[in-house]
Amino acid sequence: MSFIGRHAERTIRRFSEEFPAVLVTGARQTGKTTLLKKITAGRSIGSTTFDDPMEELSAKSDPRAFMEFHPAPYLFDEIQYVPDLFRYLKMAVDSNRSPGMYFLTGSQQFRLMESATESLSGRIGIIQLHPLSAREIRGDAFSEPFVPSKEFILGGRDRLKTADFSVTGTWKAIYTGGYPEVVKGTVSAGDFYANYLKTYIERDIRKLVHVSDEMQFLQFVSVVAARTGQLVNYGDIGNEVGISDVTVKKWLSLLVSSGLVHLLRPFSANVEKRVVKTPKLYFMDTGLAAYLTHWTSPGTMQGGAMAGAFFETYAVSEIIKSFCSNGVEPPLYFYRDKDKTEIDLMVYRDDVLYPVEIKKTATPSSDDARNFFITGRLRNMRIGNSIIICNCAEPATVRPGVTAIPIGYV
């Protein structure tokens, strides 16, 4: 399988025509450098990776001279290792101020965002690249964010009328995940994820954060993967790993800034104080989460205790990707109150709130929509279509105002 087209390409090209610098963040091995090299092909643009310790040393020792020897246009890969270089990028940009001067990649979003916004505010376009989406894998050119309006659903029905969204195919996709090398079959999933974690811990965690016990950190990542789709419980995670709540919060922030985990915020606007304030955590790649939690096949995962959590994680991560590819911060929340009444997802777009339930069933029923009544408690809110994302073969009305859609529509 050759290069798989990325929906983010259009956004990056637009940014490169609007800003002097473009920064593509995201987890390792999501295809950041490959995509930027494709976009810059045909132009005389050099490239340097700071994964190379000699290049890193050179940039840190004399950043001014380094910039002189690497004139724009230029591509700097894994720039999180040399954050001080942003000051000199700003100087170079301000002396010219032309679009598309610098293309940057990095794998630690928080540090990069902090450096980029401090030094290059108004001069840089930033986009987060996640593993391949299901749309990208099947070659679907449709790249709009998931906003389940009537028009979105009808468009999906017309566009995907010949698509085969089988239950077996869905679970294979969940088990495989979206890292390009795994999807293309270049390397086996087990070999890829084992090497991926080793590289992530040795290069990013050891170098950037100085975690003293690498095996304990790996155990922490596995424990977090086993809690995908759940409310964050710092004490529970800490007790299992043998670390303090403070360390749990610190390490979890590393997974978030690395692009491996997304924390979904609770929706709390105009509702009573009974709503929980704790976020839910989702692994951004179900294939990596499956490896960490020791599932050995799509079939065993489908029949296992974590099936519902994996299905929900897959749906949420696909929706997040649809927004990030467009350079949009995902306007996504969940609802849960102290009575444990919950709506899995709420999409807030154009002043309309769309409640979404996510169920692994292939035969949705009105009972799956029982919690939508809670939207009546939301004051001064326009409520859109109520949606159930599931394994059904085509859209279906399960009760008035509630539509079930195949997960492939996401």
Side-chain angles (χ1 to χ4, degrees):
M1 184 183 292
S2 58
F3 178 84
I4 299 174
R6 303 304 303 263
H7 290 164
E9 180 175 341
R10 183 177 63 180
T11 304
I12 295 171
R13 288 187 183 278
R14 185 180 80 244
F15 283 174
S16 71
E17 295 170 356
E18 298 173 342
F19 297 100
V22 178
L23 169 62
V24 182
T25 72
R28 281 189 171 274
Q29 298 296 312
T30 54
K32 301 184 295 296
T33 308
T34 301
L35 179 56
L36 284 183
K37 286 187 174 181
K38 177 179 184 291
I39 290 171
T40 57
R43 297 174 58 186
S44 298
I45 295 181
S47 65
T48 293
T49 177
F50 295 114
D51 262 338
D52 183 337
M54 294 305 297
E55 295 288 355
E56 179 188 355
L57 179 61
S58 176
K60 286 182 174 179
S61 300
D62 192 345
R64 187 183 298 274
F66 182 86
M67 290 298 297
E68 290 178 0
F69 280 101
H70 299 80
Y74 214 88
L75 192 163
F76 293 117
D77 189 34
E78 301 295 355
I79 199 169
Q80 75 272 8
Y81 294 133
V82 286
D84 289 343
L85 201 62
F86 276 97
R87 294 173 54 195
Y88 297 89
L89 286 167
K90 177 182 181 297
M91 293 166 60
V93 164
D94 287 346
S95 68
N96 189 328
R97 198 77 179 208
S98 299
M101 294 176 63
Y102 296 104
F103 295 86
L104 317 171
T105 80
S107 304
Q108 279 285 335
Q109 186 184 18
F110 176 77
R111 290 168 178 250
L112 283 170
M113 293 288 282
E114 188 176 40
S115 299
T117 53
E118 285 180 0
S119 301
L120 294 172
S121 178
R123 306 168 180 84
I124 189 167
I126 302 173
I127 187 169
Q128 186 170 18
L129 191 69
H130 291 289
L132 292 164
S133 69
R135 294 186 202 171
E136 291 168 336
I137 292 171
R138 67 171 178 256
D140 190 342
F142 182 73
S143 61
E144 293 300 309
F146 175 81
V147 181
S149 62
K150 181 179 179 181
E151 293 74 21
F152 184 95
I153 296 171
L154 291 175
R157 188 178 64 182
D158 294 339
R159 189 179 78 256
L160 302 170
K161 56 188 174 183
T162 60
D164 178 20
F165 297 128
S166 67
V167 174
T168 301
T170 296
W171 284 101
K172 182 179 179 182
I174 294 172
Y175 180 78
T176 301
Y179 281 96
E181 296 306 311
V182 179
V183 172
K184 291 188 292 186
T186 307
V187 62
S188 70
D191 289 344
F192 174 84
Y193 291 124
N195 184 68
Y196 183 91
L197 290 166
K198 185 174 185 292
T199 301
Y200 169 63
I201 290 173
E202 289 187 352
R203 292 190 183 178
D204 290 344
I205 299 305
R206 180 193 295 173
K207 196 166 187 177
L208 293 173
V209 192
H210 308 297
V211 169
S212 58
D213 190 333
E214 295 174 9
M215 291 306 297
Q216 189 175 45
F217 185 82
L218 180 58
Q219 181 192 5
F220 167 78
V221 178
S222 299
V223 168
V224 170
R227 285 159 176 74
T228 187
Q230 297 181 20
L231 291 173
V232 177
N233 187 323
Y234 299 106
D236 180 55
I237 295 172
N239 289 337
E240 185 160 348
V241 182
I243 55 179
S244 68
D245 289 8
V246 172
T247 302
V248 171
K249 292 177 182 179
K250 177 184 176 182
W251 287 4
L252 187 58
S253 73
L254 296 178
L255 298 186
V256 173
S257 64
S258 300
L260 297 184
V261 167
H262 181 86
L263 294 183
L264 189 67
R265 294 168 291 167
F267 187 83
S268 59
N270 299 316
V271 296
E272 64 274 22
K273 295 181 180 180
R274 296 169 60 253
V275 176
V276 301
K277 298 180 180 179
T278 307
K280 291 176 71 174
L281 70 86
Y282 290 94
F283 245 72
M284 280 305 298
D285 188 78
T286 50
L288 178 58
Y291 174 82
L292 287 163
T293 48
H294 307 296
W295 296 100
T296 58
S297 71
T300 56
M301 176 189 287
Q302 181 183 354
M306 290 186 67
F310 269 107
F311 189 85
E312 181 179 332
T313 298
Y314 180 68
V316 171
S317 64
E318 288 294 305
I319 293 170
I320 291 171
K321 293 172 189 177
S322 75
F323 282 95
C324 290
S325 292
N326 285 274
V328 177
E329 181 70 21
L332 307 177
Y333 308 87
F334 73 98
Y335 178 93
R336 182 180 173 97
D337 60 30
K338 294 179 181 178
D339 296 326
K340 298 184 179 180
T341 302
E342 182 173 346
I343 296 178
D344 294 327
L345 193 67
M346 289 183 163
V347 183
Y348 187 57
R349 184 78 159 172
D350 295 328
D351 202 33
V352 179
L353 190 69
Y354 299 89
V356 179
E357 285 284 85
I358 304 168
K359 306 293 181 183
K360 65 184 179 69
T361 181
T363 54
S365 68
S366 60
D367 187 58
D368 295 319
R370 64 185 181 275
N371 286 346
F372 287 139
F373 79 90
I374 211 72
T375 57
R377 295 181 182 176
L378 307 181
R379 298 185 295 274
N380 303 318
M381 296 295 302
R382 292 173 57 199
I383 307 300
N385 299 327
S386 295
I387 301 296
I388 299 173
I389 298 173
C390 60
N391 253 323
C392 61
E394 58 185 7
T397 300
V398 298
R399 68 163 59 170
V402 179
T403 304
I405 63 172
I407 192 167
Y409 277 42
V410 172

